[in-house]
Amino acid sequence: GNSVTQMEGPVTLSEEAFLTINCTYTATGYPSLFWYVQYPGEGLQLLLKATKADDKGSNKGFEATYRKETTSFHLEKGSVQVSDSAVYFCALSDRGSSNTGKLIFGQGTTLQVKP
Amino acid sequence: DTEVTQTPKHLVMGMTNKKSLKCEQHMGHRAMYWYKQKAKKPPELMFVYSYEKLSINESVPSRFSPECPNSSLLNLHLHALQPEDSALYLCASTAGGWTEAFFGQGTRLTVV
């Protein structure tokens, strides 16, 4: 079945450090891939997306590239800020037979950025 | 407008109470979802409505009863819940099966 694996957290960085959160997936069909961010006490916000191989999603300084050959969608940011502290979820939506829009989430990675 | 609105934001209910969670979107999306999220875990899908019809029930106990009165509204009726049902309940909507989901802020439910 479809699945998403994220690197274990928590990740603790100093402000202005480089961020990488690894995400790999297993899927039948041709999934769309997403990164969602959840700030404390809030719902999930879409951070970025990619719908086909080699697409690069980007938003607010974050980037991720859809790599079909390595089945990966790693999240990167060149210089993190304290305000980036949150939980980050990698997710896929299978474009295959079910077409229900069901999201398969990774376990989430908690990022803490210290001043 | 890319907003999904959920009410209430917080809810405390006893095990014998009946309450309802509400969700509204005005993006013209035809698929709407209920997810349950426990602390430090990813959201878990509960129900999917597609074109106002229930298309997926992920073996959710009958004390949770979803309802989709029209294409913009989604309700979750709660009855005889257990303390372990305490969680963040998230509503989401999508324009199609492979497009991004937009989530509401959630309802923080506590069952006492």
Side-chain angles (χ1 to χ4, degrees), chain B residues 64-84:
Chain B
F64 295 91
S65 176
E67 178 195 20
C68 189
N70 61 54
S71 60
S72 300
L73 294 174
L74 187 66
N75 298 323
L76 186 63
H77 303 298
L78 314 172
H79 174 54
L81 295 192
Q82 304 298 309
E84 59 265 29

Side-chain angles (χ1 to χ4, degrees), chain A residues 36 38 49 93 100-102, chain B residues 33 37 58 97-98 100-101 103:
Chain A
Y36 283 87
Q38 187 172 33
K49 66 177 181 180
S93 178
T100 61
K102 173 179 178 176
Chain B
Y33 310 78
Q37 186 180 26
E58 293 280 13
W98 54 85
E100 64 269 32
F103 283 83

